Amino acid sequence: MSTVYDCTTPESREQGLAAAANIVRAGGLCVLPTDTVYGIGADAFDANAVRALLAAKGRGPDMPVPVLVGSWSTVDGLVMSVPQQARALIEAFWPGGLSLVLPQAPSLNWDLGETRGTVNLRMPLHPVALDLLREVGPMAVSSANRSGQPPASTATEARDQLGDSVQVYLDGGPSGEPVASTIVDLTQGAPRVLREGAVTLAELSEVLGVDLAAGD
């Protein structure tokens, strides 16, 4: 059975964060609000939990799971190096709707799917998500929906799709317009925009000092 915690009230929020942290540490799944859409999350370093996350979504390892972090400094331990362009984008848009694809640190013992040695990182701008991430560390988080279905903008929508495959649901209220994060690939030197979303091409171009287009 799954449990829903109303994180819009202080007491229930505290209980929910504690329950979610315990579930994640035990290898289970939770749904959490973010600044884009609701996410389904697991311990990024627990391969069995990540496989359970993919199974809950009805998705295979060919679409790797992104990783959410609770602070800028966490990134340094997860990637081979942080190029200057990445640091500039982190300072400008984190926490927020920007995901960065970087070469992962070769020493990391995790299995996020077919990543080809890369990791997709983001720091969300949502207090509930940040509190949980700072408690448990990096989490593998994907949109809280069954594969092929619309992303969930409320905990209820997430539960309707994922049901008891998730043990804890953190309800932070509606996420607003369900806009996905912008994804920038920095693994090849020159930045490439894989998906335009919450952060616009113009905003990226201004920070990086280059003209970007989708697919660049």
Side-chain angles (χ1 to χ4, degrees):
M1 288 292 293
S2 59
T3 306
V4 180
Y5 293 90
D6 180 3
C7 292
T8 63
T9 64
E11 182 178 358
S12 182
R13 170 179 166 150
E14 184 176 348
Q15 294 171 347
L17 285 168
N22 288 336
I23 283 295
V24 170
R25 291 193 186 102
L29 305 177
C30 75
V31 159
L32 62 155
T34 79
D35 49 334
T36 54
V37 295
Y38 271 73
I40 174 175
D43 181 349
F45 296 98
D46 187 329
N48 290 329
V50 174
R51 283 192 285 272
L53 185 159
L54 291 171
K57 285 178 62 72
R59 201 170 87 179
D62 54 310
M63 296 179 68
V65 185
V67 172
L68 296 188
V69 297
S71 69
W72 292 5
S73 59
T74 305
V75 175
D76 291 299
L78 302 179
V79 302
M80 194 176 301
S81 65
V82 183
Q84 183 54 44
Q85 288 179 321
R87 292 202 185 276
L89 292 172
I90 286 171
E91 289 175 7
F93 300 114
W94 279 19
L98 178 67
S99 299
L100 297 177
V101 180
L102 293 162
Q104 73 171 50
S107 60
L108 289 181
N109 183 25
W110 62 13
D111 183 4
L112 301 170
E114 297 171 8
T115 64
R116 297 176 177 83
T118 67
V119 61
N120 182 340
L121 296 169
R122 188 168 86 84
M123 181 180 176
L125 181 59
H126 195 289
V128 173
L130 288 173
D131 281 351
L132 180 60
L133 290 163
R134 287 165 180 163
E135 178 67 23
V136 302
M139 290 179 61
V141 179
S142 184
S143 56
N145 59 285
R146 293 284 297 175
S147 186
Q149 298 300 310
S153 59
T154 66
T156 299
E157 290 176 3
R159 195 179 189 195
D160 286 345
Q161 294 193 49
L162 300 172
D164 288 338
S165 62
V166 174
Q167 290 81 21
V168 172
Y169 288 80
L170 300 180
D171 186 349
S175 63
E177 286 296 321
V179 180
S181 67
T182 296
I183 303 176
V184 177
D185 184 348
L186 293 170
T187 63
Q188 305 298 321
R192 295 173 55 237
V193 180
L194 303 183
R195 179 180 74 195
E196 184 177 7
V199 177
T200 67
L201 292 174
E203 289 171 325
L204 293 171
S205 299
E206 181 178 358
V207 169
L208 295 175
V210 295
D211 289 330
L212 294 177
D216 279 358

